[in-house]
Amino acid sequence: MKEVLVLLGVLLAMAVLFRLDFVYYVIYVLGGIWLLARWATPRSLRSLRVTRRFVDHAFLGETIPVAIELHNATWLPMPWVRVNESLPLELATAAQIRRVYTLRPRERMTIDYQLQCRRRGYYPVGPLQLASGDLYGFVDAQGRDVGQQFLTVYPRIIPLVGLALPSRLPFGTLASNQRLFEDPARLRGLREYQSGDSQRRINWKASAHSDSLLVK
């Protein structure tokens, strides 16, 4: 800003001292472009509509597509818009997505990228930082952020049937030699003691008569 004002002051001094009409014309054009840029650039950036869309939950190993839509809602063109999207390192190949685009009046644009769910957890996606400016570099409008959204990555689901885990349910459907409670509906009499049988199931009277351990 200061450089433009100094330049306009120097040109004005030259026009007054040397009475050069074309210098006045340069001052009018340059000053008009500078004023227009100072008014239009921040206004366009504030009116820029940004939407981030993705599924906020996934399972380990899945790929999540993310779409960021930019909509220039004004009738003013945006010569350039810089987009910086911060991403979690556990899901993305790069720490940020940095791209520059040009938006015409009322134009919509979509930025697509993917997240690889390589590790379970709760991850922030964003924030998204936006910056814009005019074509001649007179004004830079920065500092607008689009808030974070979160992605939950669940662990991989593994069926327990194939793991052969001992059942800890009182009356479950999985067979186990070490149950918490006995099912009274399954009592059928006496049999020989087997390794792993609980001592609570030993019938001591019958074992004393037969001179061998018997269990219920």
Side-chain angles (χ1 to χ4, degrees):
M1 176 179 178
K2 294 182 179 179
E3 293 79 1
V4 177
L5 294 177
V6 172
L7 178 59
L8 291 176
V10 171
L11 292 176
L12 182 60
M14 291 177 55
V16 172
L17 292 176
F18 299 102
R19 297 182 180 179
L20 300 174
D21 294 336
F22 75 92
V23 178
Y24 286 107
Y25 177 76
V26 173
I27 294 175
Y28 297 150
V29 174
L30 184 61
I33 295 176
W34 178 70
L35 292 175
L36 179 61
R38 282 186 57 84
W39 175 81
T41 302
R43 180 183 178 88
S44 299
L45 186 60
R46 288 193 302 267
S47 301
L48 183 64
R49 299 177 183 175
V50 183
T51 304
R52 184 195 294 114
R53 297 190 303 271
F54 65 95
V55 179
D56 60 358
H57 59 277
F59 287 95
L60 193 66
E62 292 184 349
T63 300
I64 301 300
V66 183
I68 299 176
E69 183 180 281
L70 305 178
H71 179 208
N72 183 9
T74 67
W75 293 102
L76 299 172
M78 302 185 70
W80 62 269
V81 179
R82 185 173 65 246
V83 178
N84 291 344
E85 173 82 315
S86 300
L87 301 175
L89 294 177
E90 294 84 357
L91 305 183
T93 56
Q96 284 186 331
I97 292 182
R98 300 181 178 178
R99 302 177 184 177
V100 179
Y101 300 94
T102 298
L103 292 175
R104 297 187 298 271
R106 316 297 292 183
E107 182 181 6
R108 295 178 183 266
M109 178 176 293
T110 303
I111 305 172
D112 297 314
Y113 65 90
Q114 293 181 340
L115 296 175
Q116 301 290 335
C117 300
R118 297 186 293 266
R119 187 175 181 180
R120 67 179 184 179
Y122 187 66
Y123 300 100
V125 180
L128 177 67
Q129 299 179 346
L130 300 172
S132 182
D134 64 288
L135 189 60
Y136 301 97
F138 291 150
V139 180
D140 289 339
Q142 300 182 4
R144 179 181 172 184
D145 295 344
V146 178
Q148 293 179 333
Q149 294 175 259
F150 294 90
L151 172 64
T152 303
V153 180
Y154 299 113
R156 184 181 293 109
I157 298 178
I158 300 177
L160 300 180
V161 177
L163 298 181
L165 296 176
S167 175
R168 294 298 181 181
L169 299 177
F171 311 113
T173 57
L174 299 179
S176 174
N177 293 327
Q178 298 180 356
R179 294 184 179 272
L180 295 179
F181 302 97
E182 295 293 338
D183 187 356
R186 296 186 179 183
L187 293 177
R188 295 185 179 179
L190 301 177
R191 62 172 175 80
E192 294 289 338
Y193 175 83
Q194 298 178 359
S195 178
D197 289 340
S198 175
Q199 293 184 358
R200 293 178 300 177
R201 298 176 56 186
I202 298 177
N203 191 326
W204 296 105
K205 293 183 178 181
S207 299
H209 285 290
S210 61
D211 198 19
S212 61
L213 291 178
L214 301 176
V215 297
K216 297 178 182 179

